[in-house]
Each structure stands twice: as structure tokens, then as C-alpha cells.
Amino acid sequence: AAGVIQSPRHLIKEKRETATLKCYPIPRHDTVYWYQQGPGQDPQFLISFYEKMQSDKGSIPDRFSAQQFSDYHSELNMSSLELGDSALYFCASSPMAGELFFGEGSRLTVL
Amino acid sequence: DAKTTQPNSMESNEEEPVHLPCNHSTISGTDYIHWYRQLPSQGPEYVIHGLTSNVNNRMASLAIAEDRKSSTLILHRATLRDAAVYYCILRDVRTSYDKVIFGPGTSLSVIP
């Protein structure tokens, strides 16, 4: 069965650079979530989209933005990268009122 | 948001049952109880959910107290692969497309 696809799996950037992460949800799932997980921490909710509209927002820095496109894939854009942005970024999708299915994550390293 | 409280860590011997407790004394009538787990270096994984009645699936069982203020995730025979962080989460069925907040959960160690 198709799962949530995230790309790239690994990304290395310098401070002050920009990074874009992509997420392809499971077909027919109408909700997408983004999470950030630092070393030894729990996943922190960043933002979610329902039917291509932002549905909720968590502790997402102003330097970050996200959107969901007409084909339901989503992108997380991160600008002016800081060392503290180094983390695993997970995307999850779910059908309405259903459980979340997570991708394998994108590991961002900021040098 | 209704909050949950779980022990920071638990240990179990391999092939023995494990009971992971969760307290949610402020649960509302429209909150479902969800359990997820996260294995090392992987994304969280759905385990089970329920509203009022006890639930069973191939991964685990969920026992819900009659007053719904607590629940217990039961792994019937722990394996080494069950070593993970387990999260108990409440989701309001009326706003189920909204944020799902993780943690802190219970870190389960399985001893061979």
C-alpha cells in the first residue's frame, strides 16, 4: 500500500540558507500535518492543512511557511536557517477523522 | 485541549504482558483516546483508538475506564520490537483535522 512520501530524506544546509521539504500524502487523505523533532524530544506540531486550507498552527517560526497544493502534496519552506533548526521533520496524512500515517521523515542538518 | 498524563518510563520482560497507563481526567464526551508509538529513528505509528468500549486489534488492546478518566494500553506479549515511546492522545471528533499534540509519552524498554 502507498505510504506518505517525504523528500529529501537528508538535507545539509548552511546557516542563513533556505530549505524546502516536500510531502506526498496517501491518496484520498485530505489532511496533512507537519512536525519537527529535535534530538531526544517529542514531535512538535508545526502546521496542518485540511483540503488545501491551513487548518491549525502550532509553534512554527515566522521564518517557516507551508502550503498544500492542488494535487494535495505539501511543502515546508524554511528560510534564514539557524543551527537550532537541525531536526527530523515528519509529515503525516490522515483521512477525515482517521488516524495519522507518518512518513519516514526528512533529516535537516544546519551547519 | 484536554491533557493526558503518562509515566515517563516503564520496563518489561520479553514475552510478558505490558500495561501502559494513561490518565485523562479532563476528557470530554467527544474526545477519542488514541495511542501512537514511535520506534527509534522512525515516525510515530498509530496503535489503536477508542471512545468508550474496550478495543482490540492485531497490535494491542485498549482498556477504557468506565468514567473514561483513564485508559490502559495492553501489549499481550512484549517483544524487543515493542521498545518505543508510547503516546496517549485525545482527539476531539468534532475537530479531528486539527493539531495532534504528542508527548510526553512513556518510554518502554523490553528486557530480553
Side-chain angles (χ1 to χ4, degrees):
Chain A
V4 175
I5 307 296
Q6 291 188 245
S7 69
R9 294 292 312 281
H10 300 273
L11 191 59
I12 299 174
K13 290 287 186 178
E14 302 276 342
K15 280 196 311 183
R16 292 179 289 278
E17 286 191 319
T18 297
T20 297
L21 305 181
K22 296 184 178 183
C23 171
Y24 297 85
I26 293 172
R28 291 180 294 282
H29 282 195
D30 51 23
T31 310
V32 167
Y33 306 80
W34 284 98
Y35 289 84
Q36 177 192 58
Q37 187 170 29
Q41 297 182 357
D42 301 309
Q44 297 295 310
F45 171 76
L46 293 177
I47 196 167
S48 61
F49 292 88
Y50 170 67
E51 282 292 344
K52 294 163 280 186
M53 299 285 289
Q54 181 183 307
S55 56
D56 210 340
K57 205 169 180 180
S59 49
I60 183 169
D62 292 340
R63 300 177 288 108
F64 290 12
S65 65
Q67 57 182 322
Q68 188 176 27
F69 294 86
S70 57
D71 64 352
Y72 289 89
H73 94 272
S74 178
E75 294 183 4
L76 177 67
N77 298 293
M78 301 173 282
S79 62
S80 303
L81 287 170
E82 302 173 356
L83 296 179
D85 296 329
S86 296
L88 259 174
Y89 290 82
F90 289 106
C91 172
S93 72
S94 76
M96 180 63 174
E99 63 263 31
L100 274 63
F101 292 81
F102 282 80
E104 294 184 321
S106 293
R107 183 175 294 280
L108 171 66
T109 302
V110 181
L111 302 176
Chain B
D1 294 339
K3 299 268 189 256
T4 63
T5 305
Q6 300 176 245
N8 287 336
S9 61
M10 290 184 65
E11 260 186 11
S12 172
N13 293 318
E14 196 176 9
E15 299 189 5
E16 289 190 355
V18 184
H19 291 231
L20 297 162
C22 180
N23 288 319
H24 29 78
S25 58
T26 59
I27 191 171
S28 74
T30 52
D31 282 331
Y32 275 79
I33 302 158
H34 286 243
W35 284 83
Y36 285 77
R37 71 179 185 180
Q38 187 174 24
L39 279 65
S41 301
Q42 295 187 26
E45 172 187 35
Y46 166 81
V47 177
I48 200 166
H49 76 282
L51 184 62
T52 56
S53 304
N54 294 344
V55 184
N56 299 296
N57 66 20
R58 63 175 180 82
M59 290 181 71
S61 296
L62 177 59
I64 301 172
E66 199 169 329
D67 63 5
R68 300 208 328 123
K69 293 186 177 182
S70 65
S71 61
T72 302
L73 179 70
I74 302 166
L75 307 179
H76 296 286
R77 279 179 78 241
T79 69
L80 296 178
R81 200 189 171 279
D82 292 321
V85 178
Y86 287 78
Y87 296 99
C88 170
I89 297 165
L90 301 182
R91 294 193 73 190
D92 191 328
V93 67
R94 297 168 300 177
T95 57
S96 55
Y97 48 82
D98 285 348
K99 61 192 174 201
V100 175
I101 303 299
F102 286 86
T106 298
S107 179
L108 174 67
S109 302
V110 179
I111 303 166

